[in-house]
């Protein structure tokens, strides 16, 4: 082997050749993927060009992309902070500005003090300024308007949101790109 392989990861596709999940992106460490390939549990789609692992007698390729043999249905989406941001595409739902997660807050549309619950249909991403401005009021009382009514997203909807976000491309191996991008606007 001619480069450190400890940190290599393997992109995991569903049987339809789409990533098993987009958010977070479905990746395994290569060792798990390697074992799954050699136990014939998954299909090896691509290997890393320039990396191999040796045993005493053989040399093996490292899987860069694998696919499940059977289609795995998406599970219900967990109600997490990250998923709320993702549903809202990291945009303040009042003014529409897109911000990194660290600069976004959560707004209870109907404030907790007025009986609003912490659930999909009552929580939206909000910039700090709008959160402060709205304070302890409903949007109507604050004379503010939601861009979109909050909803419980399906896995498919979250995937669609994730695909619209700019990726941290530096973290992705070139080999994966064919499976992540299909439109030409991402050439840069
Ligand atoms: Zn805002």
């Amino acid at each position: 082997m001619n480069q450190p392989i400890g940190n290599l990861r393997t992109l995991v596709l569903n049987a339809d050749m789409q990533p098993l999940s987009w958010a977070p992106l479905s990746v395994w460490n290569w060792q798990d993927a390697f074992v799954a390939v050699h136990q014939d549990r998954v299909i090896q789609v691509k290997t890393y060009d320039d990396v191999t692992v040796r045993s005493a007698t053989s040399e093996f390729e490292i899987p860069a992309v694998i696919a499940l043999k059977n289609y795995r249905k998406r599970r219900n989406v967990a109600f997490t902070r990250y998923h709320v941001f993702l549903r809202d595409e990291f945009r303040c739902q009042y003014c529409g500005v897109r911000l990194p997660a660290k600069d976004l807050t959560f707004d209870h549309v109907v404030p907790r003090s007025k009986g609003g619950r912490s659930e999909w249909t009552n929580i939206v991403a909000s910039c700090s300024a709008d959160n402060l401005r709205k304070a302890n009021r409903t949007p109507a009382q604050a004379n503010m308007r939601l861009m979109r009514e909050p909803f419980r997203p399906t896995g498919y909807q979250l995937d669609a949101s994730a695909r619209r976000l700019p990726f941290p491309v530096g973290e992705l191996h070139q080999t994966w790109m064919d499976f992540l991008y299909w439109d030409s606007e991402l050439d840069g």
Side-chain angles (χ1 to χ4, degrees):
M1 78 189 75
N2 44 21
Q3 69 176 75
I5 60 172
N7 295 328
L8 282 184
R9 295 180 300 161
T10 304
L11 177 63
V12 184
L13 305 177
N14 211 335
D16 64 357
M17 294 294 159
Q18 298 286 312
L20 188 57
S21 78
W22 285 85
L25 190 62
S26 44
V27 292
W28 293 354
N29 65 48
W30 74 264
Q31 293 93 334
D32 291 344
F34 183 84
V35 168
V37 166
H38 287 270
Q39 291 177 342
D40 210 25
R41 289 190 281 122
V42 298
I43 297 159
Q44 182 158 276
V45 180
K46 282 200 175 190
T47 57
Y48 283 104
D49 284 340
D50 47 352
V51 197
T52 54
V53 59
R54 278 172 208 282
S55 71
T57 54
S58 318
E59 190 169 343
F60 299 98
E61 293 183 307
I62 308 282
V65 181
I66 59 172
L68 302 185
K69 290 184 161 182
N70 299 307
Y71 185 77
R72 190 183 293 178
K73 253 183 89 177
R74 311 195 119 282
R75 288 177 303 167
N76 280 341
V77 174
F79 180 56
T80 65
R81 289 163 170 263
Y82 182 74
H83 283 160
V84 170
F85 283 164
L86 190 58
R87 178 198 63 188
D88 293 344
E89 297 182 31
F90 292 84
R91 286 184 194 283
C92 170
Q93 292 300 292
Y94 295 103
C95 68
V97 68
R98 177 175 275 169
L99 294 167
K102 67 178 176 56
D103 296 325
L104 278 172
T105 64
F106 295 96
D107 176 59
H108 283 75
V109 177
V110 176
R112 268 178 293 200
S113 61
K114 296 188 164 58
R117 308 257 299 262
S118 296
E119 58 192 15
W120 281 115
T121 52
N122 194 49
I123 299 237
V124 296
S126 167
C127 70
S128 311
D130 281 329
N131 206 334
L132 217 59
R133 187 154 71 92
K134 179 166 172 283
N136 220 4
R137 300 176 292 179
T138 65
Q141 289 167 341
N143 200 20
M144 292 167 74
R145 236 192 154 142
L146 281 167
M147 296 175 58
R148 180 173 68 174
E149 288 296 318
F151 59 97
R152 172 191 289 271
T154 64
Y156 181 83
Q157 286 168 319
L158 279 195
D159 277 356
S161 294
R163 285 200 296 266
R164 285 193 286 269
L165 291 177
F167 259 108
V169 171
E171 293 178 13
L172 302 177
H173 191 271
Q174 193 57 38
T175 312
W176 299 355
M177 291 303 174
D178 290 345
F179 298 93
L180 298 177
Y181 296 140
W182 54 87
D183 50 12
S184 54
E185 62 184 282
L186 292 148
D187 281 356

